[in-house]
Amino acid sequence: MAQNTHIRPKYNVRGRGGGSGPPIVGRIGEKSKDFKGTLQKILCYIKPQYKGLATVFAFALLGTVFSIAAPKLIGMGVDHLFPRVDFGYIGKILLLLLVLYLLASLFSYIQEYTMAGVAQRIIQRMRNDVAEKLQHLPLQFYDTRTHGEILSRVTNDIDTISTSFQQSLLQLVTAIFTLFGVTVMMMTLSLWLSLLTFLVLPLGVGLTAFIAKKSHTFYAGQQRALGRLNGHAEEMYGGHKVVRAFHYEAASIEEFNATNQQLYAFGWKAQFVSSVIFPLFNFLGNLAFMAICIVGGFLAVTGRMTLGNIQSFITYSRQFNQPISQVANITNILQSTLAAAERVFEILEETEESPDPVAPKEIDHPKGEIVFDHIKFRYDPDQPLIEDISLSIKPGDIVAIVGPTGAGKTTLVNLLMRFYELSGGRITIDGVDITQMKRKYLHRLFGMVLQDTWLFKGTIRENILYGWGDATEEELLNAADTALANPFIRALPDGYDTVINEEANNISEGQKQLLTIARAILINPSVLILDEATSSVDTRTELLIHRAMTEVMKGRTSFVIAHRLSTIRHADRILVMNKGCLVEQGTHAELLEKEGFYARLYNSQFAT
C-alpha cells in the first residue's frame, strides 16, 4: 500500500483565529470516495491472514454441509411415517441428525474462534499502522485538524471496521456457502419448484444494489458528522473554563445541537434504509412460499413428489431466502465499514515528513552556532509568510524574538526544529544543514519550554524524566533545583511520587510551568527555546525563574519568544518581526535609539 500518495479532499475552511498557523479544515463538503479503491486497500490487510481465513472457510463449508443435509434426512423420515411407521429407520435418522447437529455446532465454534483471532490481528495491524503514521506526519497535519476529528478516526472508525470483520465477514461467508448448498439441494428435489424460488432472486439483488448505493451516502455522512461532533466536544469540554468564563455555553450548545442534528439525520436515514431490506425480502420470500405450497400440493396429489420431499423443499426454500436477506443486510453494513475505512485510509495516505537522510550527519561537540540562509516559508503556496530572512547567531547568544501576534515568531522556531519544511533557503547548526541530520538527533539538541504546558497522567518524577529516562536521581534533583521546582515538590504529600491527574489540575499553572522548565533543563540541550515560558507564573516567581534561566542559558544559544518586552532587555540580540518579515534587529538600547517599530512596540506597553 502506498504510504505517500496524497489525497486532497475538498474542504470547507474556517480560520483558527489568532496566530500565524494554517487554517483548520472542515469536512462538511466532503464527497464519498472510490468504493473499489477502498476495498482493495482493505484486502491488503486481509491477505496476510490467508491461512486463518482458509481455516474459517473450510470449517464454514463443513458446517454448512452438515446443516444442509438435515432437512433432506427429515424428509426421508417423513416418508417412512406412511403408510406404516418404521420406528427402526426413524431412530437411525434421529441419531444421524443428532450427530450432524453436534458436528455443525462444533465447526461453528471453531470458525468463530478462528475468525476472532483473524479479525483482531487485522485490526491490530491497522491500529499499529495508523499510530506509526501519526508519528511521521508533519505538524501542519495536526494544525489543520481538530483533535477530536483525529481521535474519531483512530477510535470510532477503526472500531466500526473491527466490528464488521468480527461479525459481518463470517456471516457473509456462511451465507454464501448456505445459498450455494441449498440451491443444489433444491434443484435435486424439483427443478420446477426451484424456478419458482429463483424468481425472487433478481428482484432481491436489484433492491439490494439500490439500497446499498443509497445507504453508503448516509453512512459516510454519519461518520463525518460523528467526527465533527467529537472534535467539537473535545474542544468545548477541554476548554470548559474558558467557555463558562466567556458565557459561550449557549453558543456551544447550539453548535453541538446543530452537529448532533446532522448526525441524527444521517443516522436515522442510514438505519431506516438498512432496516427496509428485511421486510422486503420477507415479503418476497412469503410470495415464493405461497407459490411453492400450491404447486407442491399439486405435485404431491398427482404423485410426482413424495410428502417428505415437499417437506424438505419447503425447508430449503425458507433457508434460501434467509442467506439472501443476510447477504443484503451485510452488504448494507459494509457501506458503513467502507465509509469508516475511507477516513482511516485518508490518514494512512497523508503526505509524511520528508525521510531522514540515508547517511545522516551528527555534530561531535555542539556549540550552537545557527545560520538562517535566505529562508522562505509559506503554509499556502499563494500566500507567503516568511520571505528571505538571513541571520547568523553565535554560540551562546541570547536571541529574543518579538513582534505582534501572527508575525511569525513561533513559526521561525518551528522551522529551526524542522516541525515545518522550508520553502526555500537553508538552516545550519555548527555548519551542518539541519536536513542532513536525523530529526530525532536534531530535536535532542534543543530544550523547549512552551507557553502551553503539557503534562501527562503520572508522577512528577515521570513527567520531568519524560524523554530522558536514563537520567540519574542527582541529575533529576539538580534540574528541579535549577528550575526552582524542588521546594513545592518537596511540600507535596508524596513529593516526586505525587501523581498528576489526567487534567493536571491538582497543581497550579505556575507549578506546571516549573516542571516543564525542569524537564528542558534535564536534557542539557545545546540550544534553549523559551516560548513565553514564564507567562503562567506570578511576578515574584518570574523574577526567580529569570535568575535561574540566566544561569542555565550561559554557554547555550537561546531563543526567547516574548510579548512582555521588559523581560528581554538584556538579550544579546532582539529580532523584531512583523507579517513574516524581519523588520529590525539589534540590542534593546540600539533599537530604542532607532525609534522605529520596536520602540513603538516597547513604549506602547508602558503607555498610560
Side-chain angles (χ1 to χ4, degrees), residues 151-387:
L151 287 173
S152 179
R153 295 180 185 227
V154 176
T155 55
N156 294 336
D157 291 334
I158 291 183
D159 283 345
T160 298
I161 300 170
S162 175
T163 302
S164 183
F165 276 136
Q166 183 71 44
Q167 299 176 3
S168 302
L169 187 60
L170 183 57
Q171 291 178 5
L172 181 63
V173 171
T174 305
I176 291 173
F177 284 156
T178 302
L179 185 62
F180 178 78
V182 166
T183 300
V184 172
M185 293 302 294
M186 287 195 302
M187 294 185 70
T188 58
L189 291 173
S190 174
L191 184 61
W192 291 107
L193 290 180
S194 298
L195 290 176
L196 285 177
T197 307
F198 297 157
L199 288 175
V200 178
L201 193 58
L203 187 57
V205 171
L207 286 171
T208 301
F210 174 76
I211 291 172
K213 185 177 179 181
K214 287 288 184 183
S215 65
H216 178 81
T217 303
F218 297 138
Y219 277 119
Q222 176 179 294
Q223 294 301 121
R224 292 194 300 269
L226 183 60
R228 291 196 299 273
L229 193 70
N230 284 338
H232 174 77
E234 193 273 338
E235 286 180 346
M236 292 302 103
Y237 295 122
H240 64 279
K241 289 183 180 178
V242 178
V243 172
R244 299 190 69 175
F246 287 88
H247 308 290
Y248 195 75
E249 297 98 320
S252 174
I253 292 172
E254 183 179 348
E255 185 177 348
F256 180 90
N257 289 339
T259 308
N260 198 26
Q261 181 63 32
Q262 289 181 343
L263 179 59
Y264 162 76
F266 282 119
W268 86 260
K269 287 177 183 177
Q271 295 302 321
F272 172 75
V273 171
S274 301
S275 62
V276 165
I277 290 179
F278 273 117
L280 283 176
F281 270 96
N282 283 336
F283 176 72
L284 295 174
N286 288 332
L287 289 179
F289 179 73
M290 289 172 56
I292 290 168
C293 289
I294 293 172
V295 176
F298 174 77
L299 293 175
V301 170
T302 56
R304 298 181 185 180
M305 282 186 73
T306 65
L307 186 62
N309 284 342
I310 293 174
Q311 166 70 30
S312 298
F313 192 94
I314 290 175
T315 304
Y316 284 131
S317 70
R318 304 304 284 179
Q319 288 184 346
F320 180 80
N321 290 328
Q322 184 179 0
I324 292 179
S325 180
Q326 283 182 337
V327 170
N329 188 55
I330 293 168
T331 303
N332 204 38
I333 292 173
L334 290 177
Q335 304 308 310
S336 174
T337 305
L338 288 174
E342 285 172 359
R343 289 162 49 80
V344 173
F345 288 129
E346 279 181 8
I347 290 182
L348 292 175
E349 293 171 355
E350 283 285 342
T351 302
E352 296 183 3
E353 293 176 324
S354 57
D356 285 329
V358 179
K361 294 183 178 180
E362 293 187 1
I363 304 169
D364 292 333
H365 302 286
K367 298 176 182 177
E369 181 183 358
I370 298 173
V371 175
F372 293 83
D373 185 10
H374 298 285
I375 66 167
K376 298 177 182 179
F377 176 72
R378 54 187 66 192
Y379 291 115
D380 190 318
D382 300 324
Q383 296 180 358
L385 176 62
I386 291 179
E387 284 293 309

Side-chain angles (χ1 to χ4, degrees), residues 57 93 227 303:
F57 292 167
I93 292 291

Side-chain angles (χ1 to χ4, degrees), residues 21-33:
I24 295 177
V25 291
R27 291 277 175 182
I28 297 173
E30 183 184 13
K31 296 181 179 179
S32 59
K33 307 295 187 300

